[in-house]
């Protein structure tokens, strides 16, 4: 991370876990143990029905609440979908877009791009995910694949808005498997993502964009991952479901500024 040029962000992704009642319990516990220092931004992306409980519980705190998906259309006949202005009105600050679990359900790069644009237009901070499969890594095409995902996801995103985009690198083989990328592997890809952003926009923009790592990040490996120069935070699944673990990861981001 590099606090001089960009934000450090610790974001939780609850996936399909916790009821609204459990959300209230979690948030109450988290509030009681949140570190006082402000060395990083903290976000919790929760299931849609848990958003009101999460927002209510964290109103007076520095924890921003987010959604795990959105629809790119402003309104209309899309049964079961949720528009970005609904998320804003419900109190969301963030939205995860293009998580590999959603891509596995059929979400394309074009969908991801449309959602990123819709989120930015609504004033949300999109956390745009990318990542390679184990097969792609073993074939040696990781950086090309990731570059393609980033270029497609950011298409037509203007320079004045790109600064609000957060990118999350999540190797699919590391998600929920307990098999974390080594700090060197994660750094290498996050650095290559910054290079892609530099080529698409400018050095100034690339320096300011926060790039997170996700995939079995936990209270034990967070410090070392976050110590890498191009890893500006984490997108945390399993370990974000336990307040004690999540707080330890937040504390791991308290490292000497460069
Ligand atoms: P994990 O999930 O931390 O449980 O591996 C990360 C994610 O999918 O965002």
């Amino acid at each position: 991370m590099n606090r001089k040029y960009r934000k450090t962000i610790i974001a939780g992704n609850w996936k399909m876990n916790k009821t609204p009642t459990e959300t209230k319990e979690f948030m109450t516990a988290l509030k009681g143990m949140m570190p006082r220092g402000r060395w990083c931004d903290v976000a919790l992306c929760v299931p849609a029905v848990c958003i009101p409980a999460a927002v209510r519980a964290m109103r007076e705190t520095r924890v921003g609440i987010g959604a795990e998906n959105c629809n790119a259309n402003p309104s209309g006949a899309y049964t079961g979908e949720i528009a970005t202005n609904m998320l804003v009105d419900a109190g969301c600050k963030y939205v995860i877009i293009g998580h590999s679990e959603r891509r596995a359900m059929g979400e394309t790069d074009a969908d991801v791009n449309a959602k990123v644009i819709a989120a930015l237009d609504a004033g949300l901070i999109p956390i745009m995910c990318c990542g390679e499969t184990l097969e792609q890594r073993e074939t040696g095409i990781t950086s090309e694949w990731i570059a393609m995902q980033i270029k497609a996801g950011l298409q037509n995103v203007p320079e004045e808005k790109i600064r609000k985009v957060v990118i999350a690198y999540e190797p699919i083989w590391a998600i929920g498997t307990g098999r974390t990328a080594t700090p060197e592997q994660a750094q290498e890809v996050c650095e290559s993502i910054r290079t892609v952003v530099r080529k698409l926009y400018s050095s100034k923009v690339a320096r300011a964009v926060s790039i997170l790592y996700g995939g079995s990040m936990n209270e034990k490996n967070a410090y070392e991952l976050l110590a890498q120069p191009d890893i500006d935070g984490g997108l945390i699944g399993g370990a974000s479901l336990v307040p004690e673990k999540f707080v330890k990861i937040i504390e791991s981001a308290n490292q000497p500024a460069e």
Side-chain angles (χ1 to χ4, degrees):
M1 52 195 201
N2 186 326
R3 291 217 298 274
K4 191 167 155 202
Y5 294 117
R6 47 193 178 258
K7 281 184 174 170
T8 304
I9 304 168
I10 300 298
N13 172 16
W14 277 6
K15 310 190 179 187
M16 199 170 72
N17 293 292
K18 295 198 193 289
T19 61
T21 306
E22 289 164 346
T23 301
K24 197 176 163 196
E25 288 163 8
F26 175 99
M27 297 297 171
T28 308
L30 181 65
K31 258 202 282 196
M33 54 178 90
M34 269 299 281
R36 278 165 200 266
R38 289 182 174 254
W39 49 81
C40 65
D41 285 6
V42 181
L44 271 166
C45 299
V46 303
V49 292
C50 300
I51 291 169
V55 168
R56 214 174 302 126
M58 300 318 258
R59 195 159 279 152
E60 303 294 315
T61 74
R62 50 185 280 239
V63 178
I65 302 303
E68 299 175 9
N69 180 34
C70 65
N71 190 285
N73 295 289
S75 63
Y78 303 100
T79 303
E81 292 292 288
I82 299 176
T84 51
N85 69 332
M86 298 175 189
L87 296 177
V88 172
D89 192 65
C92 282
K93 188 172 168 193
Y94 299 89
V95 58
I96 297 173
I97 294 174
H99 190 280
S100 60
E101 287 154 17
R102 295 210 55 87
R103 291 179 189 257
M105 292 178 221
E107 201 163 297
T108 65
D109 282 318
D111 295 330
V112 171
N113 178 235
K115 289 180 186 199
V116 167
I117 289 172
L120 288 168
D121 286 347
L124 290 164
I125 298 173
I127 303 177
M128 187 181 86
C129 303
C130 62
E132 82 287 5
T133 62
L134 187 57
E135 202 187 344
Q136 287 167 329
R137 173 161 284 267
E138 284 171 350
T139 345
I141 57 164
T142 299
S143 61
E144 288 81 1
W145 175 257
I146 301 290
M148 190 274 293
Q149 283 188 322
I150 299 294
K151 281 181 200 157
L154 295 179
Q155 218 177 343
N156 299 322
V157 174
E159 175 143 359
E160 69 272 15
K161 287 201 172 150
I162 177 70
R163 285 161 193 275
K164 288 208 78 182
V165 177
V166 175
I167 297 173
Y169 166 56
E170 299 204 306
I172 296 170
W173 47 271
I175 295 177
T177 57
R179 192 178 158 186
T180 322
T182 64
E184 294 71 28
Q185 282 174 324
Q187 161 61 24
E188 189 185 9
V189 180
C190 290
E191 189 181 358
S192 79
I193 292 171
R194 206 175 300 287
T195 305
V196 174
V197 175
R198 185 176 304 124
K199 284 184 187 149
L200 288 176
Y201 296 91
S202 67
S203 310
K204 218 170 150 192
V205 166
R207 210 168 60 177
V209 164
S210 298
I211 303 175
L212 318 184
Y213 167 78
S216 298
M217 189 164 180
N218 58 39
E219 69 286 3
K220 294 188 189 82
N221 58 30
Y223 192 95
E224 225 190 320
L225 285 159
L226 296 170
Q228 301 300 314
D230 288 291
I231 302 180
D232 306 310
L235 183 55
I236 299 120
S240 74
L241 296 168
V242 183
E244 290 79 3
K245 291 186 182 179
F246 192 58
V247 163
K248 280 198 183 131
I249 298 173
I250 296 169
E251 283 165 349
S252 304
N254 186 13
Q255 302 188 12
E258 298 213 355

